[in-house]
Amino acid sequence: MPTIEIPAAKTSYNCPPDDTILRAGLRAGLGMAYECNVGSCGNCRFELIEGQVESLYPDAPGLQERDKARNRHLGCQSRALTDCKIKVPLREDYKARIIPRQTHGELIAVEELTHDIREFRFRLETPNPFLPGQYGLIGVPGVHGARAYSQCNVTSTGEEWHFQIKKMPNGKASGALFDQMKIGAHVSLDGPFGNAFLREDSPRDILCIAGGSGLSPMISIARAVSQSPGLRQRKLVFVYGCRSRRDLAGESLLRELPGFGTTIFYHAVLSHATEEDAWTGWSGFAHEAARDIVGGKVADYEIYFAGPPPMTEAVMRMAIENKAPVTQLHYDRFY
Ligand SMILES: Cc1cc2nc3c(=O)[nH]c(=O)nc-3n(C[C@H](O)[C@H](O)[C@H](O)COP(=O)(O)OP(=O)(O)OC[C@H]3O[C@@H](n4cnc5c(N)ncnc54)[C@H](O)[C@@H]3O)c2cc1C
Ligand code: FES
């Protein structure tokens, strides 16, 4: 099995043939930087000093030509073919809180949430818990490359992982999940991953902003807050941005939580409401509505957000303009 050496950190780890340089490093307890795990963000780049690697996704958007010219590779998409020496920054805050594990999941239930969002529930062959707000990688049979999906449930044992997934136009994995997966079908699962997890030790109220498919991790966070003795007295403001009335989701799930209407508040924001929608609630963009809903006091909140990159970047700009320190921002861009 290839050994990966990081000379600057005086450390090394094994990388099995079916693993990647990044994920094997995280499994070995190293704080390797990453975000998406699917080749899009570029945060997992490393420089290959010695040895040979193979890319699982040679056209991945996270790697530019100039990176390739400098012998840089994406850790999340690189398999080691020989022993390697690499240069990569290690950071304490990237160490996995729960060591990710590769396993399989059996589809045990599917529930329709909107015309294009469904909840898929899997039972794990080897249970592994996750923190609210984290994500797993689903390998869908017949689809090249695993996709990242955030869990919406809360679990201490990790026997089941539930995901709220939006069907993307021409999407290979989401399309296969919606159209081909039947109860009893199996997928490969890996995780948990991600650093946008619930901070149990924060003294602040909580602002969750979800855009479209970003619903899932925000629901997990809201559910965990409602169960947490340390957090359930806090105010949780949940803002869900979508296009029109038929996309509305999340409110019925939050209504089930103790504290709904007293500490937990749901606000939907429609960006493209039509006359037929007869919508009298918040309109426009979720980041602007969220700012106005909390009366501009964004910096008083621990802020969690998830959704497509333009939405997450708009939330980030809004939060920084409103003086929220970056340490209070926890997000995943859904590439
Ligand atoms: C951290 C994170 C969390 C996410 N959570 C959710 C969620 O909870 N719910 C939800 O609906 N969506 C979520 N997404 C988006 C989801 O991962 C998919 O991008 C989306 O479902 C579209 O996938 P698709 O296969 O249907 O579309 P496609 O257009 O077929 O695939 C697009 C995605 O697949 C990746 N990809 C394409 N080819 C390869 C390959 N060969 N190897 C590896 N990757 C490849 C792309 O980089 C891109 O991310 C999340 C994304 C990220 C990064
Ligand atoms: S973590 Fe590898 S490209 Fe995003």
Side-chain angles (χ1 to χ4, degrees), residues 66-247:
R66 64 173 184 278
D67 293 316
K68 293 179 186 169
R70 290 179 189 166
N71 214 8
R72 288 191 184 143
H73 302 262
L74 293 177
C76 70
Q77 302 300 327
S78 297
R79 206 196 316 244
L81 298 178
T82 63
D83 288 349
C84 295
K85 278 189 189 163
I86 66 170
K87 190 171 164 190
V88 69
L90 296 180
R91 273 176 41 183
E92 197 61 27
D93 53 342
Y94 277 101
K95 281 187 177 172
R97 305 299 198 278
I98 297 169
I99 294 294
R101 289 163 81 157
Q102 294 166 303
T103 183
H104 288 90
E106 179 188 346
L107 185 64
I108 53 167
V110 179
E111 196 179 315
E112 200 138 320
L113 299 185
T114 71
H115 64 103
D116 65 356
I117 301 182
R118 285 185 194 162
E119 186 168 315
F120 294 84
R121 299 184 180 167
F122 294 94
R123 185 182 299 120
L124 273 65
E125 202 173 274
T126 312
N128 200 19
F130 55 84
L131 300 171
Q134 287 196 297
Y135 67 90
L137 292 176
I138 305 186
V140 180
V143 177
H144 184 60
R147 302 292 193 267
Y149 291 105
S150 311
Q151 290 93 332
C152 62
N153 58 322
V154 175
T155 170
S156 55
T157 57
E159 277 165 29
E160 290 183 19
W161 288 4
H162 303 173
F163 304 94
Q164 291 165 349
I165 296 179
K166 187 178 171 80
K167 186 176 188 189
M168 301 307 284
N170 304 316
K172 292 192 185 73
S174 60
L177 283 162
F178 272 66
D179 301 335
Q180 289 162 29
M181 298 288 286
K182 303 273 181 277
I183 300 300
H186 287 80
V187 294
S188 68
L189 291 172
D190 195 357
F193 298 104
N195 286 310
F197 52 81
L198 178 65
R199 270 47 181 189
E200 290 270 356
D201 53 357
S202 160
R204 281 171 280 277
D205 286 340
I206 294 151
L207 176 58
C208 290
I209 310 175
S213 55
L215 184 68
S216 202
M218 297 302 110
I219 291 288
S220 178
I221 284 177
R223 286 173 166 160
V225 167
S226 75
Q227 291 176 14
S228 160
L231 294 180
R232 64 178 168 229
Q233 305 307 328
R234 300 269 161 68
K235 181 159 79 166
L236 185 144
V237 178
F238 193 106
V239 179
Y240 183 61
C242 58
R243 288 177 69 84
S244 56
R245 194 181 273 280
R246 71 183 191 141
D247 302 314

Side-chain angles (χ1 to χ4, degrees), residues 22 34-44 62 74-76:
L22 168 70
Y34 72 102
E35 185 186 338
C36 72
N37 240 314
V38 291
S40 294
C41 72
N43 289 354
C44 62
L74 293 177
C76 70

